[in-house]
């Protein structure tokens, strides 16, 4: 499941035929992604939001709060057994409180 930063990278690389998933929250952050073909948009359901709240509480207890969009994205991925593809290190903090989260962090290439 693609995070917003990956969708932006695809756009900059002029990749428009993307096979995979993202969330409506990522689309709101980067609406141009709607022009990409074969991208499935997932909407969070109440179970996703309840899990996101639990993750957020656990992160606050550890002293590592994370952006709410990333928490909801992680909850969606956990509930559907999807891999989050991102450039964002926030997911490493989430993984510490939810080790079952599957994340592939893509490192930024130097200019």
């Amino acid at each position: 499941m693609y995070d917003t930063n990956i969708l932006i990278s695809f756009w900059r690389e002029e990749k428009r035929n993307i096979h995979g998933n993202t969330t409506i929250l990522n689309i709101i952050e980067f609406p141009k992604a709607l022009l990409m073909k074969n991208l499935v948009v997932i909407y969070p359901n109440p179970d996703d939001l309840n899990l996101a709240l639990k993750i957020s509480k656990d992160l606050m207890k550890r002293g590592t709060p994370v952006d709410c969009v990333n928490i909801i994205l992680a909850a969606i991925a956990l509930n559907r057994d999807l891999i989050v593809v991102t450039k964002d290190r926030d997911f490493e903090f989430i993984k510490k409180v939810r080790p079952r989260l599957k994340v592939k962090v893509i490192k930024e290439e130097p200019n």
Side-chain angles (χ1 to χ4, degrees), residues 48-102:
D48 299 324
L49 298 176
N50 287 328
L51 178 56
L53 178 58
K54 291 174 186 173
I55 293 169
S56 182
K57 286 180 181 179
D58 290 344
L59 287 166
M60 289 297 289
K61 286 178 191 173
R62 290 180 61 95
T64 54
V66 168
D67 176 71
C68 70
V69 171
N70 290 344
I71 293 171
I72 296 169
L73 184 64
I76 291 169
L78 282 162
N79 283 338
R80 291 162 182 76
D81 197 32
L82 298 172
I83 300 169
V84 176
V85 181
T86 185
K87 294 180 180 179
D88 195 330
R89 313 279 291 176
D90 276 355
F91 291 93
E92 293 175 0
F93 294 117
I94 298 170
K95 193 163 176 60
K96 289 182 180 175
V97 297
R98 290 298 182 281
R100 199 171 56 80
L101 178 64
K102 298 174 187 170

Side-chain angles (χ1 to χ4, degrees), residues 9 15 22-24 30 38 45-48 91 96 104:
S9 291
K15 294 180 182 176
T22 195
T23 73
I24 188 63
F30 186 65
N38 298 309
N45 63 36
D47 290 337
D48 299 324
F91 291 93
K96 289 182 180 175
K104 180 177 181 181

